[in-house]
Amino acid sequence: VLPDQLPLTLGHEFAGHVVAIGDGVEGLTVGDAVAVEPEMRDNTCDECQKGHYNLCTNLRILGVMADGGGLAEYAVVPAYTIHRLPQGISTDIGALIEPIAVGWHAVRRAQARLGQTALVVGAGPIGLVTLLALKTAGLRWIAVSEVATARKRMAEQLGANVVLDPREVDVIAEVKKLTGGTGVDVAFDAAGFPGSLQTALRALRSNGTVVNIAVPHGPIELSVTDLMAGQKQVTASSAYAGDHPGIIAALVDGRLDPSSLITSRIALEDAVQGGFEELIAHADQQVKILIHP
Ligand SMILES: [Zn+2]
């Protein structure tokens, strides 16, 4: 992930109000509250044509690789990146749609559905949004594996049925026991540590699916014997495509309430100390720090 050019304005999780509209843009009004889906794409390549624009050969994330991110009073974005927020959905919540979409897409990749069971390995921001997406999808039982106290508490607060600490219990054995010996239908590696994908794989039932959503620090060991024996599937999820409308619908009808992900609110001028440095120093206690320009 390399920026097109430096310096660039950071911020890929953002929402705001429309102040000006370009020529030929329809369906927007000045004053509309909107969330930005920051995947800048060509809209013409094979993957874009199929709707898999997260896999666009020319994908650039606004505020990461492409200049013009959300840490500013104003941002200019292509109209196709805009999602209008219905009445009652604040821009604070709108700014959470991007991170939620990462978990939402992973849950769709797993084809997780009503009544199933799941394990999420890791309760950092990505693990937590995956948990939220699984709750919204109506899974009946969700286990989370995590070591940090504050994150364990947050996972419980967001509705995990059980939070397991791998330093205290054998996560695989415990998940098997709590699912009547079968293992979970779907599992997610949101940790990316050596062994976490393997834990997710072994906690699965036969024919189950494990989705990698972590960015691991190096090669990951995985037992093909475990994969083969239960005829399991390992897949991956990268960012999101076509997920924002479903999330907005769930926010509107109340199935999804992500407000507790916001652990702090600061002004743009405090972004370095109260935002970046705070996240580095207290990564286990902060989830999303909202910055108001
Ligand atoms: Zn494309």
Side-chain angles (χ1 to χ4, degrees):
V1 178
L2 292 171
D4 297 345
Q5 59 177 53
L6 290 171
L8 68 76
T9 304
L10 293 170
H12 62 285
E13 306 177 9
F14 65 115
H17 291 96
V18 175
V19 293
I21 302 165
D23 290 339
V25 175
E26 285 168 15
L28 283 175
T29 311
V30 169
D32 279 351
V34 296
V36 177
E37 182 178 8
E39 291 179 336
M40 304 270 278
R41 62 253 191 195
D42 55 25
N43 286 317
T44 56
C45 76
D46 191 46
E47 295 300 343
C48 280
Q49 297 278 327
K50 288 177 180 155
H52 309 152
Y53 53 82
N54 56 325
L55 309 175
C56 175
T57 46
N58 290 304
L59 184 71
R60 288 145 66 245
I61 307 289
L62 198 64
V64 179
M65 297 100 113
D67 192 18
L71 288 180
E73 279 182 73
Y74 299 97
V76 180
V77 302
Y80 70 76
T81 65
I82 291 285
H83 296 271
R84 225 163 59 79
L85 297 173
Q87 196 99 43
I89 307 298
S90 67
T91 51
D92 283 13
I93 295 298
L96 296 174
I97 296 175
E98 196 276 352
I100 292 168
V102 175
W104 196 272
H105 194 70
V107 169
R108 286 178 60 209
R109 291 283 297 156
Q111 298 187 305
R113 54 187 188 273
L114 197 73
Q116 285 189 326
T117 57
L119 167 67
V120 180
V121 181
I126 291 182
L128 291 174
V129 293
T130 304
L131 168 61
L132 269 181
L134 288 165
K135 290 294 290 180
T136 310
L139 275 79
R140 126 178 103 76
W141 187 85
I142 305 162
V144 171
S145 165
E146 173 60 49
V147 293
T149 308
R151 289 178 172 188
K152 285 198 269 191
R153 208 176 313 125
M154 182 65 93
E156 275 165 10
Q157 199 184 323
L158 292 177
N161 296 83
V162 60
V163 179
L164 304 168
D165 187 331
R167 294 172 311 184
E168 293 165 6
V169 296
D170 178 338
V171 171
I172 299 159
E174 203 64 20
V175 165
K176 289 263 162 109
K177 193 178 88 189
L178 294 170
T179 52
T182 58
V184 287
D185 297 296
V186 290
F188 301 83
D189 181 12
F193 292 133
S196 56
L197 189 62
Q198 180 65 17
T199 297
L201 177 66
R202 295 202 64 197
L204 271 187
R205 67 178 302 146
S206 295
N207 267 329
T209 299
V210 55
V211 181
N212 180 70
I213 23 172
V215 182
H217 298 293
I220 291 282
E221 245 180 61
L222 201 66
S223 162
V224 178
T225 310
D226 289 334
L227 187 64
M228 179 84 193
Q231 196 180 279
K232 298 171 182 178
Q233 297 160 87
V234 177
T235 187
S237 185
S238 179
Y240 39 78
D243 299 281
H244 281 54
I247 296 167
I248 291 169
L251 289 169
V252 170
D253 68 24
R255 277 177 299 137
L256 174 61
D257 177 11
S259 50
S260 55
L261 292 177
I262 302 171
T263 47
S264 181
R265 285 179 164 84
I266 59 170
L268 181 57
E269 49 267 35
D270 300 325
V272 173
Q273 206 183 356
F276 294 99
E277 287 175 1
E278 170 65 22
L279 275 179
I280 291 165
H282 301 115
D284 61 326
Q285 286 175 33
Q286 296 285 357
V287 184
K288 291 295 170 192
I289 298 175
L290 205 74
I291 299 172
H292 285 280

